[in-house]
Coordinates of all heavy atoms in Angstrom, one line a residue:
M1 N -37.9 3.5 -17.3 CA -36.7 4.2 -16.7 C -35.5 3.4 -16.8 O -35.3 2.3 -16.2 CB -37.0 4.6 -15.2 CG -36.1 5.6 -14.6 SD -36.4 7.3 -15.2 CE -38.0 7.7 -14.5
G2 N -34.6 3.9 -17.7 CA -33.4 3.1 -18.0 C -32.2 3.3 -17.0 O -32.3 4.1 -16.1
L3 N -31.2 2.5 -17.2 CA -30.0 2.6 -16.4 C -29.0 3.6 -17.2 O -29.0 3.6 -18.4 CB -29.3 1.3 -16.2 CG -30.2 0.2 -15.4 CD1 -29.4 -1.1 -15.3 CD2 -30.5 0.8 -14.1
C4 N -28.3 4.3 -16.4 CA -27.2 5.1 -17.0 C -26.2 4.3 -17.6 O -25.6 3.4 -16.9 CB -26.6 6.0 -15.8 SG -25.2 7.0 -16.4
P5 N -25.8 4.6 -18.9 CA -24.7 3.8 -19.5 C -23.3 4.0 -18.9 O -22.4 3.2 -19.1 CB -24.8 4.2 -21.0 CG -25.4 5.6 -20.9 CD -26.3 5.6 -19.7
D6 N -23.2 5.1 -18.1 CA -21.9 5.4 -17.6 C -21.6 4.8 -16.2 O -20.6 4.2 -16.0 CB -21.7 6.9 -17.5 CG -21.7 7.6 -18.9 OD1 -21.0 7.1 -19.7 OD2 -22.5 8.5 -19.1
C7 N -22.6 4.9 -15.3 CA -22.4 4.4 -14.0 C -23.2 3.2 -13.6 O -23.0 2.6 -12.6 CB -22.6 5.6 -12.9 SG -24.3 6.0 -12.8
G8 N -24.2 2.9 -14.4 CA -25.0 1.7 -14.2 C -26.1 1.9 -13.2 O -26.9 1.0 -12.9
R9 N -26.3 3.1 -12.6 CA -27.4 3.4 -11.7 C -28.6 3.8 -12.5 O -28.5 4.1 -13.7 CB -27.0 4.6 -10.8 CG -25.9 4.3 -9.8 CD -25.7 5.5 -8.9 NE -24.7 5.2 -7.8 CZ -23.4 5.3 -8.0 NH1 -22.9 5.7 -9.1 NH2 -22.6 5.1 -7.0
P10 N -29.8 3.7 -11.9 CA -31.0 4.2 -12.6 C -30.7 5.7 -13.0 O -30.2 6.5 -12.2 CB -32.1 4.2 -11.5 CG -31.6 3.1 -10.5 CD -30.1 3.2 -10.5
A11 N -31.1 6.0 -14.2 CA -30.8 7.3 -14.8 C -31.4 8.4 -13.9 O -30.8 9.5 -13.8 CB -31.2 7.4 -16.2
S12 N -32.6 8.2 -13.4 CA -33.2 9.1 -12.6 C -32.4 9.5 -11.3 O -32.4 10.6 -10.9 CB -34.6 8.7 -12.1 OG -34.5 7.4 -11.4
E13 N -31.7 8.4 -10.8 CA -30.9 8.6 -9.6 C -29.7 9.4 -9.9 O -29.3 10.4 -9.2 CB -30.6 7.3 -9.0 CG -29.8 7.4 -7.7 CD -29.4 6.0 -7.2 OE1 -30.2 5.0 -7.3 OE2 -28.2 5.8 -6.7
C14 N -28.9 9.0 -10.9 CA -27.6 9.7 -11.1 C -27.7 11.0 -11.7 O -26.8 11.8 -11.7 CB -26.7 8.8 -12.0 SG -27.1 8.8 -13.7
G15 N -29.0 11.4 -12.2 CA -29.2 12.7 -12.8 C -29.7 13.7 -11.8 O -29.7 14.9 -12.0
S16 N -30.1 13.2 -10.6 CA -30.7 14.1 -9.6 C -30.0 14.2 -8.3 O -30.4 15.0 -7.4 CB -32.1 13.7 -9.4 OG -32.2 12.4 -8.8
E17 N -29.0 13.4 -8.1 CA -28.3 13.4 -6.8 C -26.9 14.0 -7.0 O -26.4 14.0 -8.1 CB -28.2 12.0 -6.3 CG -29.5 11.3 -6.0 CD -30.3 11.8 -4.9 OE1 -29.7 12.3 -3.9 OE2 -31.5 11.7 -4.9
Q18 N -26.3 14.4 -5.9 CA -24.9 14.8 -6.0 C -24.0 13.7 -5.5 O -24.3 13.0 -4.5 CB -24.7 16.1 -5.2 CG -25.2 17.3 -5.8 CD -24.7 18.6 -5.2 OE1 -24.4 18.6 -4.0 NE2 -24.6 19.6 -6.1
Y19 N -22.9 13.5 -6.1 CA -21.9 12.4 -5.8 C -20.6 13.0 -5.5 O -20.2 14.1 -6.0 CB -21.9 11.4 -6.9 CG -23.1 10.6 -7.0 CD1 -24.2 11.0 -7.8 CD2 -23.3 9.4 -6.3 CE1 -25.4 10.3 -7.9 CE2 -24.5 8.7 -6.3 CZ -25.5 9.1 -7.2 OH -26.7 8.4 -7.3
M20 N -19.8 12.3 -4.7 CA -18.4 12.6 -4.6 C -17.6 11.4 -4.8 O -18.1 10.3 -4.7 CB -18.1 13.2 -3.2 CG -18.5 12.2 -2.0 SD -18.3 13.0 -0.4 CE -16.7 12.5 -0.1
V21 N -16.3 11.6 -5.0 CA -15.4 10.5 -5.3 C -14.8 10.0 -3.9 O -14.4 10.9 -3.2 CB -14.3 10.8 -6.3 CG1 -13.2 9.8 -6.4 CG2 -14.9 11.2 -7.6
Q22 N -14.8 8.7 -3.7 CA -14.1 8.2 -2.5 C -12.9 7.4 -3.0 O -13.0 6.7 -4.0 CB -15.0 7.3 -1.7 CG -16.0 8.1 -0.9 CD -16.9 7.2 0.0 OE1 -17.1 6.0 -0.4 NE2 -17.2 7.7 1.1
T23 N -11.8 7.5 -2.3 CA -10.6 6.6 -2.7 C -10.2 5.9 -1.4 O -10.4 6.3 -0.3 CB -9.5 7.5 -3.2 OG1 -9.0 8.3 -2.2 CG2 -9.9 8.2 -4.5
R24 N -9.5 4.8 -1.6 CA -8.8 4.1 -0.5 C -7.6 3.5 -1.1 O -7.5 3.3 -2.3 CB -9.7 3.1 0.1 CG -10.0 1.9 -0.7 CD -11.0 0.9 0.0 NE -11.1 -0.3 -0.9 CZ -10.4 -1.4 -0.8 NH1 -9.4 -1.4 0.1 NH2 -10.5 -2.4 -1.6
V25 N -6.6 3.2 -0.3 CA -5.4 2.5 -0.8 C -5.4 1.1 -0.3 O -5.6 0.8 0.9 CB -4.2 3.3 -0.2 CG1 -2.9 2.5 -0.6 CG2 -4.1 4.7 -0.8
C26 N -5.1 0.2 -1.3 CA -4.9 -1.2 -1.0 C -3.4 -1.4 -0.9 O -2.8 -1.3 -2.0 CB -5.6 -2.0 -2.1 SG -5.2 -3.8 -2.1
G27 N -2.9 -1.7 0.2 CA -1.5 -1.9 0.4 C -0.9 -2.9 -0.6 O 0.1 -2.6 -1.2
P28 N -1.4 -4.2 -0.7 CA -0.8 -5.1 -1.5 C -0.9 -4.7 -3.0 O 0.1 -4.9 -3.8 CB -1.7 -6.4 -1.3 CG -2.2 -6.2 0.1 CD -2.4 -4.7 0.3
S29 N -2.0 -4.1 -3.4 CA -2.1 -3.6 -4.8 C -1.1 -2.5 -5.1 O -0.5 -2.4 -6.2 CB -3.5 -3.1 -5.1 OG -4.5 -4.1 -4.9
A30 N -0.9 -1.6 -4.1 CA 0.1 -0.5 -4.2 C 1.5 -1.1 -4.4 O 2.3 -0.6 -5.2 CB 0.1 0.4 -3.0
A31 N 1.8 -2.2 -3.6 CA 3.1 -2.8 -3.7 C 3.3 -3.4 -5.1 O 4.4 -3.3 -5.7 CB 3.3 -3.9 -2.7
V32 N 2.3 -4.1 -5.7 CA 2.4 -4.7 -7.0 C 2.5 -3.6 -8.1 O 3.3 -3.7 -9.0 CB 1.1 -5.6 -7.3 CG1 1.1 -6.0 -8.8 CG2 1.1 -6.8 -6.4
D33 N 1.7 -2.5 -8.0 CA 1.8 -1.4 -8.9 C 3.2 -0.8 -8.9 O 3.8 -0.5 -10.0 CB 0.8 -0.3 -8.6 CG -0.6 -0.7 -8.9 OD1 -0.8 -1.7 -9.5 OD2 -1.6 0.0 -8.4
Q34 N 3.7 -0.6 -7.7 CA 5.1 -0.1 -7.6 C 6.1 -1.0 -8.2 O 7.0 -0.6 -8.9 CB 5.5 0.2 -6.1 CG 6.8 0.9 -6.0 CD 6.8 2.3 -6.6 OE1 5.9 3.1 -6.3 NE2 7.8 2.6 -7.5
W35 N 6.0 -2.3 -8.0 CA 6.9 -3.3 -8.6 C 6.8 -3.2 -10.1 O 7.9 -3.2 -10.7 CB 6.6 -4.7 -8.0 CG 7.6 -5.7 -8.4 CD1 8.7 -6.0 -7.7 CD2 7.7 -6.4 -9.6 NE1 9.4 -7.0 -8.3 CE2 8.9 -7.2 -9.6 CE3 6.9 -6.5 -10.8 CZ2 9.3 -8.1 -10.6 CZ3 7.3 -7.4 -11.8 CH2 8.5 -8.2 -11.7
R36 N 5.6 -3.2 -10.6 CA 5.5 -3.1 -12.1 C 6.1 -1.9 -12.7 O 6.7 -1.9 -13.8 CB 4.0 -3.2 -12.5 CG 3.4 -4.6 -12.2 CD 2.1 -4.7 -12.9 NE 1.4 -5.9 -12.5 CZ 1.6 -7.2 -12.8 NH1 2.7 -7.4 -13.5 NH2 0.9 -8.1 -12.3
K37 N 6.0 -0.8 -11.9 CA 6.6 0.5 -12.3 C 8.1 0.4 -12.4 O 8.8 0.9 -13.3 CB 6.2 1.6 -11.4 CG 6.1 3.0 -12.0 CD 5.7 4.0 -10.9 CE 4.3 4.4 -11.2 NZ 3.8 5.5 -10.3
D38 N 8.7 -0.3 -11.4 CA 10.1 -0.4 -11.2 C 10.7 -1.5 -12.1 O 11.9 -1.6 -12.3 CB 10.5 -0.7 -9.7 CG 10.1 0.4 -8.8 OD1 9.9 1.5 -9.3 OD2 10.0 0.2 -7.6
N39 N 9.9 -2.5 -12.6 CA 10.4 -3.6 -13.3 C 9.6 -3.7 -14.6 O 8.7 -4.4 -14.8 CB 10.2 -4.9 -12.5 CG 11.0 -4.9 -11.3 OD1 12.1 -5.3 -11.2 ND2 10.4 -4.5 -10.2
K40 N 10.1 -2.9 -15.6 CA 9.3 -2.7 -16.9 C 9.3 -4.0 -17.7 O 8.4 -4.2 -18.5 CB 9.9 -1.5 -17.7 CG 9.8 -0.2 -17.0 CD 8.3 0.3 -17.0 CE 8.2 1.7 -16.5 NZ 6.9 2.0 -16.0
N41 N 10.4 -4.7 -17.6 CA 10.5 -5.9 -18.5 C 10.9 -7.1 -17.7 O 12.0 -7.7 -17.8 CB 11.6 -5.6 -19.6 CG 11.5 -6.6 -20.7 OD1 10.6 -7.3 -20.8 ND2 12.6 -6.6 -21.5
P42 N 10.0 -7.6 -16.8 CA 10.3 -8.8 -16.0 C 10.5 -10.0 -16.9 O 9.8 -10.1 -18.0 CB 9.1 -8.9 -15.1 CG 8.0 -8.2 -15.8 CD 8.6 -7.2 -16.6
P43 N 11.3 -11.0 -16.4 CA 11.5 -12.2 -17.2 C 10.1 -13.0 -17.3 O 9.3 -12.8 -16.4 CB 12.5 -13.0 -16.4 CG 12.6 -12.3 -15.1 CD 12.1 -11.0 -15.2
P44 N 10.0 -13.8 -18.3 CA 8.7 -14.6 -18.5 C 8.5 -15.5 -17.3 O 9.5 -16.0 -16.7 CB 9.0 -15.4 -19.7 CG 10.1 -14.7 -20.5 CD 10.9 -14.0 -19.4
G45 N 7.3 -15.6 -16.9 CA 6.9 -16.5 -15.8 C 7.0 -16.0 -14.4 O 6.7 -16.7 -13.5
V46 N 7.4 -14.7 -14.3 CA 7.4 -14.1 -13.0 C 6.0 -14.0 -12.4 O 5.1 -13.5 -13.1 CB 8.1 -12.7 -13.0 CG1 7.9 -12.0 -11.7 CG2 9.6 -12.9 -13.3
V47 N 5.8 -14.5 -11.2 CA 4.5 -14.5 -10.6 C 4.7 -13.6 -9.3 O 5.6 -13.8 -8.5 CB 4.0 -15.9 -10.2 CG1 2.7 -15.8 -9.4 CG2 3.9 -16.8 -11.4
L48 N 3.8 -12.6 -9.2 CA 3.9 -11.7 -8.0 C 3.0 -12.2 -6.9 O 1.8 -12.6 -7.2 CB 3.5 -10.3 -8.5 CG 4.3 -9.7 -9.6 CD1 3.8 -8.3 -9.9 CD2 5.8 -9.7 -9.3
S49 N 3.4 -12.1 -5.7 CA 2.6 -12.3 -4.6 C 3.0 -11.3 -3.6 O 4.1 -10.8 -3.7 CB 2.7 -13.7 -4.0 OG 4.0 -14.0 -3.6
T50 N 2.2 -11.0 -2.6 CA 2.6 -9.9 -1.7 C 2.6 -10.5 -0.2 O 1.8 -11.4 0.1 CB 1.6 -8.7 -1.7 OG1 0.3 -9.3 -1.5 CG2 1.7 -8.0 -3.0
V51 N 3.6 -10.1 0.5 CA 3.7 -10.4 2.0 C 3.8 -9.1 2.8 O 4.3 -8.2 2.3 CB 4.9 -11.3 2.2 CG1 4.7 -12.7 1.6 CG2 6.2 -10.7 1.8
K52 N 3.3 -9.2 3.9 CA 3.3 -8.1 4.8 C 4.8 -7.8 5.2 O 5.5 -8.7 5.5 CB 2.5 -8.4 6.1 CG 1.9 -7.2 6.7 CD 1.0 -7.7 7.9 CE -0.1 -6.8 8.1 NZ -1.0 -7.4 9.2
V53 N 5.2 -6.5 5.1 CA 6.5 -6.1 5.6 C 6.5 -6.2 7.1 O 5.7 -5.6 7.7 CB 6.9 -4.8 5.0 CG1 8.2 -4.3 5.6 CG2 6.9 -4.8 3.5
K54 N 7.5 -6.8 7.6 CA 7.7 -6.9 9.1 C 8.1 -5.5 9.6 O 8.9 -4.8 8.9 CB 8.8 -7.8 9.5 CG 8.3 -9.2 9.8 CD 9.5 -10.0 10.3 CE 9.1 -11.2 11.1 NZ 10.3 -11.9 11.6
A55 N 7.5 -5.1 10.7 CA 7.9 -3.8 11.3 C 9.4 -3.9 11.6 O 9.9 -4.9 12.1 CB 7.1 -3.5 12.5
A56 N 10.2 -2.8 11.4 CA 11.6 -2.8 11.6 C 11.9 -3.2 13.0 O 12.9 -3.9 13.3 CB 12.2 -1.5 11.3
V57 N 11.0 -2.8 13.9 CA 11.3 -3.0 15.4 C 11.3 -4.5 15.7 O 11.8 -5.0 16.7 CB 10.3 -2.2 16.2 CG1 8.9 -2.9 16.1 CG2 10.7 -2.1 17.7
D58 N 10.6 -5.3 14.8 CA 10.5 -6.8 15.1 C 11.7 -7.5 14.4 O 11.8 -8.7 14.6 CB 9.2 -7.3 14.5 CG 8.0 -6.8 15.2 OD1 8.1 -6.5 16.4 OD2 6.9 -6.7 14.6
S59 N 12.5 -6.8 13.7 CA 13.6 -7.5 12.9 C 14.7 -7.9 13.9 O 15.0 -7.3 14.9 CB 14.2 -6.6 11.8 OG 14.9 -5.6 12.5
P60 N 15.4 -9.0 13.5 CA 16.5 -9.5 14.4 C 17.6 -8.4 14.6 O 18.2 -8.3 15.7 CB 17.1 -10.7 13.6 CG 16.0 -11.1 12.7 CD 15.2 -9.9 12.4
A61 N 17.8 -7.6 13.5 CA 18.9 -6.5 13.6 C 18.6 -5.6 14.8 O 19.4 -5.2 15.5 CB 19.0 -5.8 12.3
V62 N 17.3 -5.2 14.8 CA 16.9 -4.2 15.9 C 16.8 -4.9 17.2 O 17.2 -4.4 18.3 CB 15.5 -3.5 15.5 CG1 15.0 -2.7 16.7 CG2 15.7 -2.7 14.3
Q63 N 16.3 -6.2 17.3 CA 16.2 -6.9 18.5 C 17.5 -7.1 19.2 O 17.6 -7.2 20.4 CB 15.5 -8.3 18.2 CG 14.0 -8.2 17.8 CD 13.2 -7.7 18.9 OE1 13.3 -8.1 20.1 NE2 12.2 -6.9 18.6
T64 N 18.6 -7.2 18.4 CA 19.9 -7.5 19.0 C 20.8 -6.3 19.0 O 22.0 -6.4 19.3 CB 20.6 -8.6 18.3 OG1 20.7 -8.2 16.9 CG2 19.8 -9.9 18.3
A65 N 20.3 -5.1 18.6 CA 21.1 -3.9 18.5 C 21.5 -3.4 19.9 O 20.7 -3.6 20.9 CB 20.4 -2.8 17.8
P66 N 22.7 -2.8 20.0 CA 23.1 -2.2 21.3 C 22.2 -1.0 21.7 O 21.6 -0.4 20.8 CB 24.5 -1.9 21.1 CG 24.7 -1.7 19.6 CD 23.7 -2.7 19.0
E67 N 22.2 -0.7 22.9 CA 21.3 0.4 23.4 C 21.7 1.7 22.7 O 20.7 2.5 22.4 CB 21.5 0.5 24.9 CG 20.4 1.4 25.6 CD 20.5 1.4 27.1 OE1 20.8 0.4 27.7 OE2 20.2 2.5 27.6
W68 N 23.0 2.0 22.5 CA 23.3 3.3 21.9 C 22.7 3.4 20.5 O 22.3 4.5 20.1 CB 24.8 3.5 21.8 CG 25.6 2.6 21.0 CD1 26.2 1.4 21.3 CD2 25.7 2.6 19.5 NE1 26.7 0.7 20.2 CE2 26.5 1.5 19.1 CE3 25.4 3.6 18.6 CZ2 26.8 1.3 17.8 CZ3 25.7 3.3 17.3 CH2 26.5 2.2 16.9
W69 N 22.7 2.3 19.8 CA 22.1 2.3 18.4 C 20.6 2.5 18.5 O 20.1 3.3 17.7 CB 22.4 0.9 17.7 CG 22.1 0.9 16.3 CD1 22.9 1.2 15.2 CD2 20.9 0.6 15.7 NE1 22.3 1.1 14.1 CE2 21.0 0.7 14.3 CE3 19.6 0.2 16.2 CZ2 20.0 0.5 13.4 CZ3 18.6 0.0 15.3 CH2 18.8 0.2 13.9
L70 N 20.0 1.8 19.4 CA 18.5 2.0 19.6 C 18.1 3.5 19.9 O 17.2 4.0 19.3 CB 17.9 1.1 20.6 CG 18.1 -0.4 20.4 CD1 17.7 -1.2 21.6 CD2 17.2 -0.8 19.1
R71 N 19.0 4.1 20.8 CA 18.7 5.5 21.1 C 19.0 6.4 19.9 O 18.2 7.2 19.6 CB 19.7 5.8 22.3 CG 19.3 7.1 23.1 CD 20.3 7.3 24.3 NE 20.4 6.1 25.1 CZ 19.5 5.7 26.1 NH1 18.4 6.4 26.2 NH2 19.8 4.6 26.8
K72 N 20.1 6.1 19.2 CA 20.4 7.0 18.1 C 19.4 6.9 17.0 O 19.0 7.9 16.4 CB 21.8 6.5 17.5 CG 22.2 7.3 16.3 CD 23.5 6.7 15.7 CE 23.9 7.5 14.4 NZ 25.0 6.8 13.7
H73 N 18.7 5.8 16.8 CA 17.7 5.6 15.8 C 16.3 5.8 16.2 O 15.3 5.5 15.5 CB 17.9 4.3 15.0 CG 19.2 4.3 14.2 ND1 20.4 3.9 14.7 CD2 19.4 4.7 12.9 CE1 21.3 4.0 13.8 NE2 20.8 4.5 12.7
G74 N 16.1 6.2 17.5 CA 14.8 6.6 18.0 C 13.9 5.4 18.4 O 12.7 5.6 18.6
Y75 N 14.5 4.3 18.6 CA 13.7 3.1 19.1 C 13.4 3.2 20.6 O 12.5 2.7 21.1 CB 14.4 1.8 18.8 CG 14.3 1.5 17.3 CD1 15.4 1.7 16.5 CD2 13.1 1.0 16.7 CE1 15.4 1.4 15.1 CE2 13.1 0.8 15.4 CZ 14.2 1.0 14.6 OH 14.1 0.7 13.3
I76 N 14.4 3.9 21.3 CA 14.1 4.1 22.7 C 14.5 5.6 23.0 O 15.3 6.2 22.2 CB 15.0 3.2 23.7 CG1 16.5 3.3 23.3 CG2 14.5 1.8 23.5 CD1 17.3 2.5 24.3
E77 N 14.1 6.1 24.1 CA 14.4 7.5 24.4 C 15.5 7.6 25.5 O 15.7 6.7 26.3 CB 13.2 8.3 24.9 CG 12.2 8.4 23.8 CD 11.0 9.3 24.2 OE1 11.1 10.1 25.2 OE2 10.0 9.3 23.5
Ligands
ZN101 ZN1 -24.9 7.7 -14.3

């Protein structure tokens, strides 16, 4: 009983069962993919790394914003 050349599972298994596709999104990979899409010709030597984007609510701009601004932009009710 050989292995399926397409999926690598035993041929008996992949020919007799039903399968569905599962997807998930990797945030850092998505960011790199988007960057590559937006930067078609990056200069030589550019190395990509990913960092977590800080939530806007944690930023100094929001932390020091006046109350009317926070209300206007939905940070407080
Ligand atoms: Zn297969």
